[in-house]
Amino acid sequence: TRADEELAAQLRRAEARARPVYALMDGQTVTMGLRPQGSDEVITATVSLPLMLERHIPWWIAEQYAVWLLDGSDTVRARRSRGTPEPEGPSHSISFDPPLPGAVLRITSYEGAAPFARALLPAAIAGLAAFAILALLALYRNAQRRRAAELRLNEEMAFRRSMEESLTVGLRAKDHAGRVLYVNSAFCKLVGWNAEDLVGHDQPMPYWAPDRIEETLRRQRALAVGGAEPQAFETRFRRSDGTEIDVQVYEAPLIDAKGMHRGWMGSIIDITEARRAARLAREQEESLARTGRLVTLGEMASTLAHELNQPLAAIASYAAGAANLLRQERADPALLSSALAKLSHQADRAGQIIRRIQDLVRKREPRFSALDLATVVRETAGFLEADARVRGVRIAVDVAPAPLVLADRILLEQLLINLMRNGIEAMGEAGAVDALTVSLRPGPARAVIEVADRGPGIAPEVADRLFDAFTSTKAEGMGIGLNICRTIVEMHRGRLTHRPREGGGTVFRVALPAAAEEGVAAE
């Protein structure tokens, strides 16, 4: 046949190369022939073209494209397709020569290439390129904003860190178990330990005072069960060098960004110097009060001497009378007993005056106890009766049942002496014939003492600063008496005020809280 002739011709041409040759046969087959060198024999093989395309062309390509195998005269010898493509559809041809002379593999799209479709791909590519550029620009801007935000965050963190490190207040954060999470430099300076020695440390802490460990552990347990409520307390810390300091601690709940209660944030202040200053201030106040008492007693010296002379003279008289009776051997037991009783009474009276003077001049710490003010008012008025008589003034005491107060007896006596002597002197200078009235009345959860005189009153230009130091309404006054009075009242957490008295004079009012309000039982 013609195919055999073509194959024979090709075999003669390829005889010297010892390679297989191919020839398209009629129909849908291809024949391969090989003649080994030095041999007259020919090996041939026939391959089905449709079967070759079906096996070697994937199905998904045939779904989108028509795959044809054509010979040199554009005759379709084999195909793998799901239909006939449009003549205007885009196609691509691959030459199969060699090995098949004139053979071409053509791939054609099923859809025609419309002008819009032809422009769609470049437009899509351009769009994707533009989108990529915009995405890169957006990514660049986002990266710039992120770097700027990170820079601001770092600056803010550095600023906050510098603020924390510049504070003189110690800061300490701890979790619910008491483990230290954070300390600032002020806290490290306060306790003398480095942050590395404290952060992550379990209880007990190295800065706890040995005698306060149990107390601190109880407080930590109370924090754990007390909920997220701020607390404040005073305690003592031990520094790394062994010295101890007094501190004020404010514990506030440590809340994280999610609103969870993570632990406690403590602010610690060294109050060692403040306490020392407070002790010095109390000592100075006591010294000033004692000075005021000495000044008062100095002013009353002649009156006290006269007051002491009376019982001493009576004692001497009773003693002399008793001695005379004994010498005359007329010692009637009843008469001697009466004389000795009167002598003993006058001795007790003199002793009370001397003890009162000793208590007033003695340097002592305030001793607070539940007192009955009625007794204090009556005894103080009795102590000043002699001084009042010298100045022609009568003291009227008006006492009603009042609650007990938590007070120092000597300080209250000094307070009443100052107020009553001021009233006596004011009335003596004015020549008033009315009485100095000292009254005691109960108030709401307090006891109120009022000292009302009939003196000339307080000048308006002095009224606002009457209780200031070195302010006096007397020509020769030192101006410390009323200042001491205010200090004593404030020491008892009371209030001292004054007002004009109806009909002339001044009323000084002392209001002191009841002892029951302070949680102290009456003695």
Side-chain angles (χ1 to χ4, degrees), residues 217-458:
L217 289 174
R218 286 195 303 270
R219 189 179 295 115
Q220 177 66 27
R221 290 192 291 268
L223 281 176
V225 301
E229 293 293 334
Q231 299 188 21
F233 55 88
E234 293 182 4
T235 186
R236 186 180 298 115
F237 283 173
R238 185 175 185 179
R239 294 172 50 84
S240 59
D241 58 4
T243 59
E244 293 189 355
I245 57 174
D246 296 316
V247 294
Q248 176 79 46
V249 181
Y250 299 91
E251 295 282 11
L254 181 62
I255 308 299
D256 63 11
K258 298 180 180 179
M260 301 294 294
H261 182 200
R262 294 283 305 279
W264 299 90
M265 190 69 191
S267 303
I268 296 90
I269 303 174
D270 185 358
I271 59 173
T272 306
E273 292 300 326
R275 282 192 169 181
R276 184 180 295 114
R279 286 194 296 268
L280 291 176
R282 286 196 300 270
E283 292 174 359
Q284 290 175 354
E285 289 176 356
E286 173 60 23
S287 177
L288 181 61
R290 181 168 176 265
T291 301
R293 293 195 293 268
L294 291 174
V295 170
T296 301
L297 289 175
E299 294 175 349
M300 295 175 61
S302 60
T303 304
L304 291 173
H306 177 73
E307 191 73 8
L308 281 173
N309 279 333
Q310 288 182 346
L312 291 176
I315 290 171
S317 298
Y318 289 128
N324 290 333
L325 291 175
L326 290 173
R327 281 195 301 268
Q328 297 174 7
E329 297 182 355
R330 292 186 303 161
D332 183 2
L335 188 60
L336 283 176
S337 176
S338 175
L340 291 177
K342 293 178 181 179
L343 186 149
S344 177
H345 174 73
Q346 294 298 327
D348 288 341
R349 180 184 172 193
Q352 288 177 0
I353 295 173
I354 293 172
R355 284 193 297 272
R356 184 71 57 83
I357 295 172
Q358 288 176 340
D359 287 340
L360 286 173
V361 300
R362 184 181 295 123
K363 184 177 182 179
R364 53 188 285 279
E365 290 292 330
R367 292 189 292 269
F368 293 89
S369 61
L371 292 180
D372 180 9
L373 287 180
T375 303
V376 177
V377 169
R378 291 191 185 98
E379 291 184 357
T380 306
F383 184 69
L384 290 173
E385 280 182 355
D387 191 42
R389 285 195 303 269
V390 171
R391 298 177 183 272
V393 177
R394 181 174 58 88
I395 300 177
V397 177
D398 182 12
V399 174
L404 300 177
V405 297
L406 187 67
D408 181 282
R409 184 186 186 96
I410 299 301
L411 291 178
L412 283 189
E413 288 180 351
Q414 180 181 1
L415 167 69
L416 293 176
I417 287 173
N418 285 346
L419 294 179
M420 293 167 67
R421 287 197 76 247
N422 285 345
I424 291 171
E425 293 175 356
M427 292 177 66
E429 293 175 359
V433 295
D434 202 351
L436 175 75
T437 303
V438 183
S439 62
L440 173 64
R441 293 287 184 271
R446 64 174 58 88
V448 178
I449 302 173
E450 289 189 346
V451 179
D453 63 56
R454 285 297 184 186
I458 307 298

Side-chain angles (χ1 to χ4, degrees), residues 66-71 74 89-97 102-109:
V67 182
W68 293 348
L69 183 64
L70 299 90
D71 59 11
D74 287 339
S91 64
H92 181 70
S93 299
I94 301 173
S95 174
F96 267 37
D97 185 5
V104 173
L105 182 68
R106 180 176 294 169
I107 300 175
T108 305
S109 175

Side-chain angles (χ1 to χ4, degrees), residues 187-194 197-198 205-209 237-245:
F187 184 85
C188 294
K189 293 177 183 177
L190 187 69
V191 299
W193 295 90
N194 295 323
D197 301 326
L198 302 177
M205 298 300 169
Y207 54 83
W208 287 3
F237 283 173
R238 185 175 185 179
R239 294 172 50 84
S240 59
D241 58 4
T243 59
E244 293 189 355
I245 57 174

